[in-house]
């Protein structure tokens, strides 16, 4: 089956044809690390994560690069406010970002390049643009991209090429520009700002050039997929295309994918309005990380998604159902023969699941197929239709689909020895019909986050 993806450049859903058969090179605009990210930011990362997971599930060899912007006006301002260095600020928030990514079960990108470690690549790119007449230097040492030199400018955002750079104010330090539409590739040195001494002069890179340089450094001049939030279409991605293609003479990106916003209340979750929730806040109020992940991926990436208590509660109970089923399957023992219709159930589920995700990552029908399977497997456990071996293959099948969803508990979840000892003690108490001890141990375990349940297959446990 062909994977189809919505390409912003084409304005439609297209068959995904990798540049190299069997492989996909993907770049995601990563965080500017000047403060803690909010769950809206993570919606953008989770969308890329879902894309990468699905491409891998379909057998493609994916190289995923997500940058870290560690030099920027906001970081400089933050460092000044705290009388510290931009390195200290960006290290602190990059670390927090990575920790939140891990909490949300986001696949670690193959490369997470930092802007400050790629200044030579940016300088080289800017030099090419200067040589080609696509860039010019102003008196203060800044270098701008000359929009008039690039007739194709603005196609991604469907801009009127004669139009202004709508919505962007002219920076006070950008007075030297030839054309109000031109954008900074390099910012001349200023007192109190970090600056690099390079062959194009002293200064620091603009944001757009960072992504062009880092994506091409790891993925080549032309790569398959570039992702980001819809707010990045203009100017960020529009500028990335112009400067990259003007420098290399080659097509920059084959497919442009953009996610819609996470809303809270009736507006976009955004730091500027203070309308935000952070991963730690949500987890701290008792939502499990996997439930938060599910809530954030549960709507199609191009639809706006409303964040709220309701969605967290329903994601929480969905994750509980999955956990309970996996625990039940692990404990299941039966002398019954194999369920002859189980392979059909798996095939139908996989077909619905794959068809949905192949269709521009249409997550809702994929989740529906997954949770319908959970219902059906519970029914077959209750009616003792499964063999012991069936239960094992059901776990394997669920875990295979979960390579895309990432909401199942870790497979190798074993209890800490002291907890396992309590579980064993309770099993012994039950075997000896010491119900008082067994009840007491159940409460002790629950207090420590382990729920035990008695089934026909004996006692089984799962984490709360
Ligand atoms: P920012 O910190 O605003 O520069 O955003 C960093 C990344 O997060 C960009 O890719 C944005 O498109 C994305 N982003 C920011 N806010 C939201 C939101 N409320 N929903 C989804 N993505 C967002
Ligand atoms: Zn970017």
């Amino acid at each position: 089956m062909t994977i189809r993806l919505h390409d912003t450049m084409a304005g439609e859903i297209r068959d995904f044809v990798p540049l190299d058969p069997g492989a996909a090179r993907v770049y995601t605009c990563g965080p500017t690390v000047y403060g803690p990210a909010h769950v809206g930011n993570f919606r953008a990362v989770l969308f890329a994560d879902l894309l990468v997971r699905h491409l891998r599930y379909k057998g493609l060899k994916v190289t995923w690069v997500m940058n870290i912007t560690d030099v920027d006006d906001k970081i400089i301002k933050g460092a000044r406010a705290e009388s510290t260095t931009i390195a200290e600020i960006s290290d602190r928030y990059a670390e927090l970002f990575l920790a939140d990514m891990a909490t949300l079960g986001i696949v670690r990108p193959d490369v997470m390049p930092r802007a400050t470690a790629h200044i030579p690549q940016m300088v080289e790119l800017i030099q090419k643009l200067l040589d080609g007449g696509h860039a010019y230097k102003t008196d203060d040492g800044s270098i701008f991209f000359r929009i008039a030199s690039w007739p194709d400018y603005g196609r991604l955002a469907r801009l009127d090429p004669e139009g202004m750079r709508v919505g962007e104010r002219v920076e006070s330090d950008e007075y030297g520009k030839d054309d109000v539409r031109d954008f900074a590739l390099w910012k001349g040195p200023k007192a109190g700002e970090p600056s690099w001494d390079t062959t194009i002069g002293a200064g620091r890179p603009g944001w757009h050039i960072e992504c062009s340089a880092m994506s091409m450094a790891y993925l080549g001049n032309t790569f398959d997929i570039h992702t980001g939030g819809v707010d990045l279409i203009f100017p960020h991605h529009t500028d990335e295309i112009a400067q990259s293609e003007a420098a290399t003479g080659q097509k920059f990106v084959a497919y442009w994918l953009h996610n819609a916003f996470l809303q809270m209340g009736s507006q976009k979750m955004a730091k500027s309005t203070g309308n935000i929730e952070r991963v730690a806040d949500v987890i701290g109020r008792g939502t499990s990380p996997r439930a938060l992940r599910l809530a954030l991926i549960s709507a199609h990436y191009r639809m706006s998604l409303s964040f709220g208590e309701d969605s967290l509660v329903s994601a929480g109970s969905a994750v509980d159902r999955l956990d309970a089923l996996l625990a039940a399957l692990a404990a299941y023992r039966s002398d019954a023969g194999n369920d002859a219709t189980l392979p059909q159930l798996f095939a139908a589920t996989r077909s619905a699941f794959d068809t949905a995700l192949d269709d521009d990552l249409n997550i809702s029908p994929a989740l529906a197929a997954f949770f319908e399977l959970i219902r059906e497997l519970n029914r077959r456990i209750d009616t003792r239709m499964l063999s012991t071996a069936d239960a094992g293959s059901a776990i394997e099948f669920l875990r295979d689909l979960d390579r895309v969803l990432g909401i199942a508990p870790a497979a190798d979840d074993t209890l800490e020895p002291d907890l396992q000892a309590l579980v064993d003690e309770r099993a012994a108490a039950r075997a000896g019909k010491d119900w008082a001890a067994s009840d007491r141990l159940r409460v002790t375990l629950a207090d420590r986050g382990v729920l035990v349940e008695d089934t026909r297959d004996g006692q089984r446990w799962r984490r709360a």
Side-chain angles (χ1 to χ4, degrees):
M1 238 175 329
T2 321
I3 299 168
R4 292 167 57 76
L5 298 171
H6 183 271
D7 173 21
T8 305
M9 185 65 92
E12 60 182 17
I13 296 181
R14 298 167 53 209
D15 284 359
F16 176 60
V17 183
L19 294 164
D20 294 329
R25 302 194 295 276
V26 182
Y27 184 84
T28 298
C29 289
T32 300
V33 281
Y34 68 100
H38 54 73
V39 292
N41 298 132
F42 284 107
R43 183 182 191 199
V45 187
L46 280 163
F47 146 59
D49 171 79
L50 186 71
L51 170 72
V52 167
R53 282 170 175 266
H54 184 57
L55 295 174
R56 287 184 176 149
Y57 166 82
K58 298 290 288 189
L60 289 160
K61 190 181 171 307
V62 179
T63 308
W64 183 25
V65 177
M66 183 167 79
N67 72 295
I68 292 180
T69 294
D70 61 354
V71 53
D72 160 274
D73 293 344
K74 291 179 206 151
I75 303 174
I76 295 170
K77 221 168 110 188
R80 210 173 282 151
E82 291 189 33
S83 309
T84 181
T85 60
I86 63 162
E88 198 279 318
I89 293 273
S90 51
D91 281 351
R92 186 196 312 162
Y93 293 114
E95 216 163 280
L96 187 58
F97 191 84
L98 292 175
D100 284 347
M101 276 179 68
T103 299
L104 290 172
I106 294 169
V107 169
R108 184 74 184 236
D110 299 283
V111 193
M112 293 193 78
R114 290 189 181 219
T116 54
H118 295 78
I119 304 288
Q121 289 87 338
M122 296 171 204
V123 166
E124 192 188 325
L125 209 51
I126 295 170
Q127 186 61 56
K128 275 192 193 149
L129 293 169
L130 286 166
D131 295 344
H134 295 293
Y136 58 93
K137 214 166 183 169
T138 56
D139 292 343
D140 69 346
S142 294
I143 301 174
F144 290 90
F145 184 87
R146 192 187 299 283
I147 301 260
S149 78
W150 195 249
D152 220 21
Y153 184 83
R155 208 148 67 81
L156 184 74
R158 291 165 175 67
L159 288 188
D160 167 6
E162 298 305 314
M164 289 269 290
R165 289 174 66 79
V166 275
E168 254 202 319
R169 67 196 164 90
V170 179
E171 299 292 335
S172 56
D173 57 351
E174 294 195 348
Y175 283 144
K177 294 201 286 193
D178 287 359
D179 185 328
V180 66
R181 300 174 305 162
D182 294 349
F183 62 90
L185 298 162
W186 188 256
K187 302 185 178 197
K190 269 202 211 149
E193 288 195 355
S195 171
W196 283 262
D197 274 318
T198 76
T199 50
I200 53 169
R204 63 183 171 98
W207 174 38
H208 314 310
I209 200 74
E210 295 180 4
C211 279
S212 285
M214 288 186 276
S215 59
M216 291 196 285
Y218 294 97
L219 300 174
N221 290 352
T222 307
F223 56 92
D224 295 281
I225 301 174
H226 195 313
T227 80
V230 281
D231 54 333
L232 301 188
I233 296 174
F234 179 83
H236 187 51
H237 292 166
T238 297
D239 292 353
E240 277 188 47
I241 295 171
Q243 67 203 3
S244 305
E245 299 194 348
T248 67
Q250 288 166 279
K251 191 182 173 78
F252 178 44
V253 167
Y255 298 80
W256 284 94
L257 271 58
H258 293 101
N259 63 278
F261 291 134
L262 183 70
Q263 308 268 126
M264 196 157 74
S266 54
Q267 49 176 342
K268 172 190 173 188
M269 185 177 286
K271 196 172 176 185
S272 56
T273 54
N275 184 34
I276 55 170
E277 289 263 22
R278 297 189 175 125
V279 171
D281 302 332
V282 182
I283 307 287
R285 286 200 306 272
T287 298
S288 81
R290 290 182 290 124
L292 175 56
R293 175 185 170 90
L294 178 59
L296 290 172
I297 63 170
S298 61
H300 191 278
Y301 74 90
R302 285 189 292 118
M303 302 288 174
S304 70
L305 168 62
S306 201
F307 188 74
E309 213 49 46
D310 290 357
S311 63
L312 292 174
V313 169
S314 81
S317 72
V319 165
D320 284 348
R321 264 179 287 154
L322 171 61
D323 289 3
L325 173 64
L326 286 169
L329 288 168
Y332 188 89
R333 297 290 176 273
S334 165
D335 294 331
N338 288 351
D339 175 352
T341 62
L342 198 60
Q344 268 159 268
L345 174 65
F346 290 168
T349 302
R350 191 186 294 279
S351 162
F353 185 84
D354 289 15
T355 302
L357 289 167
D358 286 349
D359 178 17
D360 194 29
L361 301 176
N362 196 1
I363 188 78
S364 302
L367 286 173
F370 188 77
F371 283 98
E372 181 50 39
L373 173 70
I374 291 181
R375 250 186 306 278
E376 183 55 27
L377 286 170
N378 275 319
R379 191 182 72 78
R380 293 184 190 208
I381 289 175
D382 290 345
T383 55
R384 312 299 289 177
M385 278 171 74
L386 305 176
S387 67
T388 305
D390 285 337
S393 24
I395 292 176
E396 254 174 59
F397 183 67
L398 285 160
R399 289 210 172 270
D400 190 47
L401 301 188
D402 189 64
R403 285 196 286 143
V404 186
L405 302 177
I407 56 172
D412 54 356
D413 195 9
T414 48
L415 282 178
E416 295 74 3
D418 54 331
L419 292 174
Q420 185 60 51
L422 290 171
V423 168
D424 294 344
E425 200 181 319
R426 183 170 181 276
R430 282 177 56 75
K433 301 203 180 337
D434 183 352
W435 310 123
S438 138
D439 284 348
R440 200 176 55 244
L441 285 159
R442 179 210 297 278
V443 173
T444 308
L445 282 161
D447 285 346
R448 301 194 49 193
V450 177
L451 306 179
V452 287
E453 224 174 337
D454 301 308
T455 73
R456 292 169 62 163
D457 303 306
Q459 166 184 284
R460 69 188 188 218
W461 64 268
R462 63 191 166 93
R463 295 196 194 263

